[in-house]
Amino acid sequence: MEKQQLLAIATTVMPFGKYQGRLLIDLPEEYLLWFARKNSFPAGTLGDLMQLTLAIKIEGLQDLVTPLRRPAP
């Protein structure tokens, strides 16, 4: 887990689906688990970040990301 990945999780917006427009760190754990169960995380960087987000949530490490969140508009 690198700082750049944590920063990306804190600032990247979900580009599609039920939770479109939410930051990755704000996606519900159940939603991320659904992708994991289906073995269908998106390909590429987005999927990698979503998998890392799930691991962070499972381990209760969301506080690592909190200081990196982008400011609300």
Side-chain angles (χ1 to χ4, degrees):
M1 193 177 326
E2 297 176 16
K3 184 177 179 179
Q4 285 296 77
Q5 291 172 311
L6 295 175
L7 185 58
I9 289 169
T11 60
T12 300
V13 173
M14 185 66 178
F16 64 86
K18 182 176 182 178
Y19 296 102
Q20 181 176 0
R22 285 199 192 181
L23 295 175
L24 294 183
I25 194 60
D26 293 336
L27 295 176
E29 187 174 329
E30 296 78 22
Y31 185 64
L32 296 166
L33 285 168
W34 179 83
F35 279 98
R37 278 193 304 273
K38 297 283 186 183
N39 234 357
S40 65
F41 282 104
T45 303
L46 178 61
D48 294 343
L49 291 175
M50 289 173 68
Q51 289 179 63
L52 185 55
T53 301
L54 177 57
I56 287 169
K57 287 179 172 277
I58 288 172
E59 296 298 326
L61 299 174
Q62 292 93 320
D63 289 343
L64 291 174
V65 178
T66 301
L68 303 172
R69 293 174 64 93
R70 71 176 186 189

